[in-house]
Amino acid sequence: MIDREPAGSSRHGSNMDPSINIPVNRDAITEEVAAAFAESEVIPERYCRPDEVHDGIVVGHDDDEAYELPVVDMEKLLDPELAEAEIAKLGSACQDWGFFQLVNHGVDEQVVNEMKDSTVKFFSLPLESKRTVEIQDNGFEGFGHHYRRASGKLDWAESVILLTQPIQERNPEMWPTNPSSFRDALDKYSAEMTKLAMRIASIMATDLGVDQEALVGAFRDKQQSMAIHYYPPCRHPDKVIGITPHSDGLGLTLLLQLDDTPGLQIRKDGRWLPVRPRPGTFIINVADILEVLTNGAYKSVEHRVLADAEKGRTTIVTFHEAYVDGMVKPIPEVLKLNGAEARYKSIERLEYIKGNFVALSEGTRFLESLKI
């Protein structure tokens, strides 16, 4: 969704296995960059991308068609009398849209508010304070730009990308200590996102008609990463891209938006559909690995973020990896249930992550190479 990802990585953020030695192209936020973001009167060449902004038709709010993102209610999903219809709605959204908005999600409100508060405070800090967790050479964790495109162009955003699960794989040096509440907020929020992802996976399994363990087991104890983005307002929003068009490379993406600033757009039927921010919801999207696991029943779709002329936009995007017996492949139970042939090649998990990072640097989509 990414707003953008990583671990296998996507472009919303990213998470890389320590054993994978692949340079990650993330640039630091310098004083000059911070000044450009603050003023935005003159757009530096590395951010100037008007052709990309205007690439494709954007569906307007006045168009005579319904394009509201499907809304799924977790309380109904868990209600025995209402679950069947709501699960069908979730399944339809995953098949036709690749995205849905989740209401009554059940995530601890205090944990969410503490994470929001810490995030806002962090991005409000002076640059020198944020740079205490600056990305290192060829690293993917820390504060800086999102990923640099093959063209050398940069996204109009500040990003903090972190590996958050498993706990033993965290890099404490990259976890902000200012504000002092941030680390504790991140830890609690990460745990809540794991619980929510597992709950969603179990419901997806029901929709797919397979045993819950078949899908939940693919996500359990796998890596989780977070990309926390701030998109500054830009006086020339027709010239910059907040996040380059992409599909998320991992399994499942959970996005929390902290404000009501528009910007996220998803590609459907060849056109860009703006997503209207809805208070109190999470935006959930199918990522590439989940498309493979479901043998194409669920769709991972392209999305992007545009800048707003007047208001900044802040999001917290959590990515969950998934695989089966060390492989990214269609779940055997899904194939057996439908009597279908695999539509995607099986690939070892580390090879998938390597391939996904290479494709990311080249501006291509690794998932396409797996299709049979």
Side-chain angles (χ1 to χ4, degrees), residues 156-174:
W156 191 263
E158 298 180 3
S159 302
V160 178
I161 297 175
L162 299 169
L163 176 61
T164 46
Q165 295 289 346
I167 294 175
Q168 63 269 24
E169 294 183 14
R170 293 174 177 173
N171 181 358
E173 293 182 2
M174 291 293 101

Side-chain angles (χ1 to χ4, degrees), residues 2 11 19 27 42 51 56 58-59 76 124 161 168 175 189 195 219 224 227 243 263 276 281 304 344 352 359:
I2 308 181
R11 300 160 192 186
S19 66
D27 292 60
V42 177
D51 291 346
V58 177
V59 177
K76 292 181 180 179
S124 300
I161 297 175
Q168 63 269 24
W175 281 48
Y189 185 78
K195 289 191 291 185
F219 282 93
Q224 176 200 76
I243 288 287
R276 295 180 180 132
T281 70
R304 68 179 184 178
Y344 303 83
Y352 175 89

Side-chain angles (χ1 to χ4, degrees), residues 65-128:
E65 60 181 295
Y67 69 91
E68 284 288 352
L69 208 58
V71 176
V72 176
D73 189 327
M74 180 62 80
E75 289 185 357
K76 292 181 180 179
L77 289 170
L78 301 177
D79 186 325
E81 295 183 0
L82 303 174
E84 183 176 358
E86 202 67 13
I87 291 172
K89 184 188 295 186
L90 178 149
S92 177
C94 292
Q95 293 166 29
D96 299 334
W97 290 77
F99 275 78
F100 61 89
Q101 297 186 76
L102 185 67
V103 300
N104 297 319
H105 45 72
V107 177
D108 189 301
E109 186 175 358
Q110 182 176 344
V111 170
V112 170
N113 288 336
E114 289 175 354
M115 185 64 191
K116 286 182 175 181
D117 183 63
S118 294
T119 297
V120 170
K121 287 179 178 178
F122 175 83
F123 283 120
S124 300
L125 292 170
L127 179 61
E128 61 184 30

Side-chain angles (χ1 to χ4, degrees), residues 198 201 215-222 251-252 290 293 320-322:
M198 294 303 103
L215 190 57
V216 173
F219 282 93
R220 183 181 297 115
D221 299 327
K222 306 304 193 300
L252 188 65
L290 186 54
L293 295 178
H320 293 86
E321 189 183 19

Side-chain angles (χ1 to χ4, degrees), residues 94-95 201 204-205 207-208 210 214-215 218-219 251 286-300 324 328-335 338 340-344:
C94 292
Q95 293 166 29
M204 287 178 167
D207 172 66
L208 293 165
V210 299
L215 190 57
F219 282 93
V286 174
D288 292 350
I289 290 178
L290 186 54
E291 179 173 324
V292 174
L293 295 178
T294 64
N295 203 37
Y298 289 176
K299 305 298 182 186
S300 174
V324 179
V328 174
K329 65 179 183 180
I331 294 174
E333 288 86 344
V334 171
L335 299 179
N338 299 319
E341 296 291 331
R343 299 172 58 189
Y344 303 83

